[in-house]
C-alpha cells in the first residue's frame, strides 16, 4: 500500500516515522520502480520544504543505494547530498565515511570516464556519485 500508487501522483505523501518504518520495511520490495522513485522524490521534497524528517530520508536513501536500478541509486545519492549543508562540522567526517560506505563500490565500478555506449542513466549516475567520494 502506498499513497502514490504507480508513482503517478502529483503530490507528496508524508508518513509519520512509525508508519513509514512499518509500511516500507514490510512493503518496500513490493513497490514498483516508479513507486520507489516517487518515494525518494517525496522524501526529498518534504525535507527540502522543512517538514520532512532527514533521518527517515537517509534510512531509505541507504536502502536504495544498493539498488540495481541506476536511477534509484542516483536519486538516493541526491537525497544524501541534499542534507550535507545541515551536517554539523564535528560530524562531517562520519557523514563522509557513511557516504563512502554507501557509494564507493559503485563509484569505482563506474570510474571517472564513461564507457562506450553506456546508457544515459549510468552517465547521470556517475555525475552524481563520483563527486560524492571527494567529500571530507
Amino acid at each position: 500500500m502506498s499513497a502514490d500508487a504507480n508513482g503517478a501522483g502529483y503530490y507528496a505523501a508524508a508518513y509519520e516515522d512509525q508508519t513509514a518504518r512499518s509500511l516500507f520495511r514490510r512493503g518496500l520490495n513490493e513497490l514498483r520502480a516508479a513507486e520507489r522513485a516517487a518515494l525518494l522524490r517525496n522524501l526529498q521534497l518534504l525535507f527540502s520544504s522543512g517538514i520532512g524528517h532527514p533521518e527517515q530520508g537517509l534510512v531509505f536513501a541507504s536502502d536504495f543505494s544498493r539498488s540495481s536500478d541506476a536511477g534509484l541509486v542516483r536519486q538516493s545519492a541526491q537525497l544524501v547530498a541534499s542534507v550535507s549543508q545541515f551536517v554539523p562540522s564535528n560530524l562531517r567526517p562520519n557523514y563522509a565515511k557513511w557516504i563512502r560506505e554507501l557509494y564507493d563500490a559503485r563509484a569505482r565500478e563506474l570510474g571517472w570516464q564513461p564507457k562506450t555506449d553506456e546508457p544515459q542513466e549510468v552517465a547521470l549516475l556517475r555525475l552524481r556519485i563520483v563527486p560524492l567520494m571527494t567529500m571530507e
Side-chain angles (χ1 to χ4, degrees):
M1 181 175 108
S2 173
D4 192 5
N6 298 319
Y10 54 87
Y11 53 89
Y15 300 99
E16 294 295 325
D17 280 343
Q18 183 70 21
T19 303
R21 271 192 291 267
S22 174
L23 180 62
F24 291 111
R25 287 289 171 233
R26 288 188 267 168
L28 197 57
N29 292 329
E30 303 299 319
L31 295 177
R32 296 179 190 122
E35 292 168 333
R36 289 174 181 215
L39 170 63
L40 285 171
R41 280 191 307 273
N42 285 346
L43 292 169
Q44 192 163 13
L45 266 169
L46 292 169
F47 178 71
S48 65
S49 69
I51 59 174
H53 303 284
E55 301 87 12
Q56 191 181 90
L58 294 178
V59 166
F60 288 117
S62 176
D63 288 346
F64 288 118
S65 71
R66 297 179 254 316
S67 175
S68 60
D69 182 319
L72 291 175
V73 176
R74 184 172 50 85
Q75 279 186 267
S76 76
Q78 185 172 338
L79 179 58
V80 167
S82 72
V83 302
S84 174
Q85 62 186 338
F86 301 104
V87 176
S89 59
N90 64 319
L91 296 178
R92 291 196 71 76
N94 292 344
Y95 176 67
K97 180 182 176 203
W98 179 68
I99 287 174
R100 284 190 297 278
E101 288 171 4
L102 294 180
Y103 301 106
D104 186 67
R106 184 65 69 93
R108 289 179 187 279
E109 175 187 315
L110 292 168
W112 285 101
Q113 298 298 320
K115 293 164 184 64
T116 306
D117 298 327
E118 75 180 8
Q120 181 180 11
E121 194 61 56
V122 173
L124 292 172
L125 177 58
R126 176 182 297 100
L127 290 172
R128 173 54 63 194
I129 69 169
V130 171
L132 281 176
M133 297 303 100
T134 65
M135 189 171 286
E136 295 179 5

